[in-house]
């Protein structure tokens, strides 16, 4: 489902609920087309011209945010410097996710447990494991990326993961907060790089922007 927030900024919601293995995407439809996060599913992306998307910006390395990058074959992939290694090194990915401790803590193999818990829909083209995705460029806190006439500021918001980023559109006063969602689930998932103090500081940082529209990864947008 395509939801127009402004002329150039649109929310792409999954056809199903925006919960794992899906997440919301932001679509910037300007002189240059770009996507923020790629987990809305193939049916949702059927509403846009995927081949024209020139950039995919990833908020962090969790599967429900990157599983659809293959839908955008001509896009440069970008993410924060802090988590580049999770797409470059399988051992680093496994440690960051805590998968190396799965048998010890869960008493079974991760593959067996995930197969038991999840039947992945057919518009999710990959499965949750080391992605081995080529990241073309890294961004860092405070950087402003120009997407046609649209400007987006990247905001380092660690805590959920060490390299989680939110995205703020200053002219439109729209904040995409990623997994800092207005949800009872909260952003604490226990990754190796997760940190409660960082979460608190990141939430306070996001509040300070006082956005007109708040969009999270798994809920409908909220407006002031």
């Amino acid at each position: 489902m395509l939801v127009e927030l402004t002329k150039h900024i649109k929310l792409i919601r999954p056809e199903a609920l925006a919960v794992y293995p899906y997440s919301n995407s932001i679509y910037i439809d300007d002189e240059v087309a770009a996507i923020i996060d790629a987990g809305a599913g193939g049916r949702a992306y059927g509403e846009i011209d995927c081949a024209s998307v020139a950039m995919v910006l990833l908020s962090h390395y969790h599967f429900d945010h990157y599983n659809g990058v293959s839908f955008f074959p001509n896009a440069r992939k970008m993410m924060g410097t802090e988590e580049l290694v999770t797409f470059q090194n399988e051992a680093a990915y496994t440690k960051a996710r805590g998968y190396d401790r799965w048998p010890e803590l869960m008493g079974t193999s991760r593959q067996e447990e995930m197969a038991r818990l999840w039947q992945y829909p057919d518009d999710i083209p990959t499965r949750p494991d080391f992605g081995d995705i080529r990241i073309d460029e890294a961004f860092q806190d405070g950087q402003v990326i120009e997407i046609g006439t649209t400007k987006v500021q990247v905001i380092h918001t660690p805590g959920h993961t060490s390299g989680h980023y939110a995205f703020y559109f200053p002219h439109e006063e729209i904040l995409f907060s990623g997994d800092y969602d207005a949800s009872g689930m909260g952003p604490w998932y226990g990754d190796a790089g997760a940190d409660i103090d960082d979460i608190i500081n990141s939430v306070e940082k996001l509040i300070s922007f006082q956005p007109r529209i708040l969009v999270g990864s798994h809920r409908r947008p909220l407006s002031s």
Side-chain angles (χ1 to χ4, degrees):
M1 178 187 299
L2 201 62
V3 180
E4 185 171 296
L5 303 176
T6 70
K7 177 182 177 182
H8 294 305
I9 303 171
K10 300 171 174 66
L11 170 65
I12 301 179
R13 288 184 58 78
E15 183 180 83
L17 292 175
V19 296
Y20 184 92
Y22 294 110
S23 69
N24 292 328
S25 292
I26 294 290
Y27 176 46
I28 298 98
D29 182 17
D30 205 320
E31 296 165 4
V32 176
I35 287 282
I36 300 176
D37 278 352
R43 283 184 285 274
Y45 296 133
E47 296 191 48
I48 67 172
D49 178 7
C50 292
S52 72
V53 172
M55 283 185 277
V56 173
L57 282 60
L58 298 176
S59 62
H60 60 302
Y61 74 103
H62 282 170
F63 174 73
D64 51 327
H65 298 262
Y66 75 78
N67 61 55
V69 294
S70 61
F71 292 122
F72 309 103
N74 301 314
R76 292 178 59 78
K77 316 311 191 285
M78 302 173 65
M79 71 180 305
T81 57
E82 296 81 4
E83 290 180 358
L84 282 177
V85 68
T86 63
F87 285 124
Q88 297 169 337
N89 183 287
E90 187 170 4
Y93 172 84
T94 299
K95 183 176 181 179
R97 295 264 35 200
Y99 290 161
D100 55 333
R101 300 192 64 194
W102 191 288
E104 170 195 350
L105 298 174
M106 304 299 288
T108 183
S109 77
R110 184 178 68 85
Q111 289 79 7
E112 290 172 345
E113 188 69 5
M114 295 299 281
R116 183 182 70 83
L117 291 174
W118 294 101
Q119 294 295 320
Y120 287 89
D122 60 8
D123 67 338
I124 300 293
T126 58
R127 295 297 176 262
D129 231 320
F130 176 58
D132 196 20
I133 294 169
R134 188 191 77 241
I135 302 297
D136 300 293
E137 187 175 343
F139 48 67
Q140 56 189 349
D141 188 38
Q143 183 175 340
V144 175
I145 299 172
E146 295 187 3
I147 304 168
T149 62
T150 302
K151 293 180 173 60
V152 57
Q153 179 183 348
V154 298
I155 309 160
H156 186 211
T157 47
H160 175 68
T161 67
S162 62
H164 184 282
Y165 274 76
F167 302 84
Y168 184 60
F169 298 86
H171 179 73
E172 298 84 357
E173 298 179 283
I174 295 174
L175 176 64
F176 181 66
S177 58
D179 269 347
Y180 288 89
D181 234 323
S183 161
M185 288 290 291
W188 172 259
Y189 290 176
D191 279 48
D195 184 275
I196 292 292
D197 289 333
D198 282 345
I199 286 175
I200 293 169
N201 292 334
S202 291
V203 169
E204 290 176 347
K205 180 190 284 190
L206 292 174
I207 290 172
S208 73
F209 283 87
Q210 294 292 295
R212 181 178 59 87
I213 297 175
L214 173 67
V215 184
S217 291
H218 299 286
R219 291 294 183 270
R220 296 183 183 278
L222 300 173
S223 57
S224 59

